[in-house]
Amino acid sequence: MRKLLNTLYVTNPDVYLTKDGENVVAKIDQREVMRIPTLNLEGIVCFNRLGASPYLMAMCAERNIGICFLTPNGRFLARVTGQVNGNVLLRRQQYRYADDKDRSLGVSKVMIAGKIFNSRKNLDRFRRDHGSLISDETNYQKITQLMDTDRRNALSCIDMDRLRGLEGDAANAYFSLFGQLITSHNAAFAFHGRNRRPPKDPVNCLLSFAYTLLAHECQSALESVGLDPYVGFMHTDRPGRASLALDLMEELRAYLADRLVLSMINRGQVTDKDFIENGEDNILMTDSCKKTVLSAWQKRKKETLTHPFLKETVPVGLIPYIQSMLLARYVRGNLDGYPVFLVQ
């Protein structure tokens, strides 16, 4: 089993990363502000403008430490990785599956059904803990029943475009109730629907940031088991897009990202002062807010659960790696089907 190590998040835009021996060194104006041994790292995520030295990138590539470069507000720029992991036979089989419409649809169906199931679990969890806060019980039941129907239809779907339509319908239904899951009385966290590129309110800003972190974890996990993160089953090929990582994210969004955002808002870990306006209808997180979210993300990864398929107690942070491992086993032919992650 993969050891859960640390991911280094560089949020200060003025930091420059370099190497010294076997260490990653962070500098500001040539002054060293932090040093961490590469032995303790599994990845580096940079929100800084100055980037990293070529020598550091070479060392990380040799040690299979992925470096992901993002803009200060979280837009993906580039990723540096080392040699391809895994054997060529696994990737060739993955490409065959991706080119096979029936195989691609088969994997995509269970992933989307899993996404809808896990989203519904978030709604059920809210009903259990805060049922008295539901503003319209009839509408709540109508929407959750619609999601159940979409999940069943997804499993029996025979067309990829139809599956994408069902996924979109279920997501719209889920986010139509998402605002009710926010129990904070802070008006800044009113939620009126999903928006992005750029996010227009604090809740969407948090969601987009959490999804960016999850995408990084999924891409690293797929690479670690030898799968090509850029060749997906439901998300089609597009230059620079990690399509398989986006596929894998679907089943994990509700449990890993949405729950984190909800808990941080409802516990008051973030406030309206953590966000700033950036032109018309554009909201950005402050650096201190990013650090708060990243700290909560790292803490969340250390929590444990019983994996529904393996029946073993594992850290939450290993879920993307476990699902990647199971997906690789399916592609190799060691499993009859892909065991999607379902929240218990």
Side-chain angles (χ1 to χ4, degrees):
M1 183 65 69
R2 179 187 175 95
K3 184 179 179 181
L4 183 61
L5 299 175
N6 292 317
T7 301
L8 172 63
Y9 296 96
V10 182
T11 59
N12 189 318
D14 298 320
V15 163
Y16 178 70
L17 296 180
T18 185
K19 74 178 285 286
D20 180 17
E22 298 294 314
N23 301 293
V24 177
V25 177
K27 295 182 177 181
I28 297 178
D29 295 329
Q30 302 298 317
R31 177 175 55 88
E32 181 177 324
V33 295
M34 189 196 66
R35 173 182 294 253
I36 182 170
T38 56
L39 182 65
N40 297 333
L41 288 176
E42 63 181 349
I44 302 175
V45 180
C46 299
F47 295 89
N48 56 334
R49 301 189 187 94
L50 301 182
S53 75
Y55 295 103
L56 173 64
M57 290 189 281
M59 179 176 69
C60 289
E62 291 175 359
R63 288 156 179 73
N64 197 32
I65 300 172
I67 306 179
C68 186
F69 293 100
L70 309 171
T71 65
N73 62 348
R75 183 173 60 83
F76 176 82
L77 292 175
R79 181 175 173 82
V80 178
T81 58
Q83 294 182 0
V84 173
N85 293 314
N87 62 62
V88 66
L89 298 179
L90 173 61
R91 294 204 175 204
R92 289 188 66 176
Q93 187 69 352
Q94 176 190 351
Y95 302 149
R96 293 189 188 103
Y97 276 26
D99 289 336
D100 186 320
K101 292 183 179 180
D102 292 334
R103 289 280 193 181
S104 292
L105 181 61
V107 177
S108 300
K109 288 195 299 186
V110 295
M111 286 180 167
I112 294 306
K115 174 184 181 178
I116 299 173
F117 180 89
N118 292 336
S119 298
R120 170 66 194 274
K121 278 290 184 176
N122 278 0
L123 300 178
D124 291 342
R125 186 167 176 255
F126 175 78
R127 181 194 293 274
R128 182 195 68 210
D129 297 340
H130 305 286
S132 62
L133 299 180
I134 297 176
S135 59
D136 187 338
E137 178 66 29
T138 300
N139 183 61
Y140 199 92
Q141 291 183 5
K142 179 181 178 181
I143 290 177
T144 52
Q145 289 170 2
L146 172 63
M147 293 178 66
D148 289 340
T149 301
D150 285 338
R151 178 174 58 84
R152 290 191 296 269
N153 289 339
L155 287 171
S156 60
C157 194
I158 60 174
D159 179 79
M160 188 68 80
D161 288 336
R162 171 61 176 157
L163 180 64
R164 293 189 181 100
L166 291 169
E167 185 274 332
D169 290 344
N172 289 335
Y174 170 64
F175 281 117
S176 73
L177 294 177
F178 193 81
Q180 295 190 41
L181 309 187
I182 298 173
T183 57
S184 169
H185 297 296
N186 192 329
F189 295 108
F191 182 80
H192 304 292
R194 185 79 177 105
N195 58 68
R196 49 198 178 277
R197 299 192 189 97
K200 297 178 173 59
D201 57 75
V203 179
N204 276 290
C205 193
L206 286 167
L207 286 171
S208 293
F209 191 73
Y211 293 156
T212 296
L213 298 177
L214 180 57
H216 168 75
E217 299 282 346
C218 289
Q219 184 167 345
S220 297
L222 291 165
E223 289 171 344
S224 74
V225 301
L227 290 169
D228 187 339
Y230 289 91
V231 179
F233 298 118
M234 188 181 81
H235 289 84
T236 55
D237 295 347
R238 182 183 299 173
R241 182 172 77 174
S243 296
L244 188 60
L246 297 179
D247 287 349
L248 185 63
M249 276 182 62
E250 297 294 5
E251 68 200 70
L252 305 179
R253 287 176 187 263
Y255 183 70
L256 294 181
D258 295 357
R259 283 197 184 184
L260 178 74
V261 169
L262 288 169
S263 64
M264 293 194 70
I265 295 174
N266 292 339
R267 293 173 182 173
Q269 292 174 271
V270 290
T271 70
D272 53 332
K273 296 180 181 179
D274 290 313
F275 303 87
I276 55 177
E277 295 185 1
N278 183 37
E280 291 187 10
D281 297 327
N282 186 1
I283 296 293
L284 298 179
M285 300 166 62
T286 63
D287 287 342
S288 62
C289 182
K290 289 178 186 176
K291 292 177 182 177
T292 300
V293 176
L294 292 171
S295 176
W297 176 262
Q298 291 291 81
K299 183 178 180 180
R300 170 73 167 139
K301 287 168 61 177
K302 295 177 182 178
E303 296 175 5
T304 60
L305 84 164
T306 300
H307 191 275
F309 182 78
L310 299 181
K311 306 301 181 185
E312 297 178 8
T313 300
V314 299
V316 168
L318 286 185
I319 292 176
Y321 295 92
I322 292 171
Q323 293 308 121
S324 296
M325 176 188 68
L326 294 173
L327 182 59
R329 289 181 181 178
Y330 166 69
V331 172
R332 287 193 186 99
N334 297 331
L335 292 174
D336 293 333
Y338 170 63
V340 67
F341 176 77
L342 299 176
V343 179
Q344 302 300 297

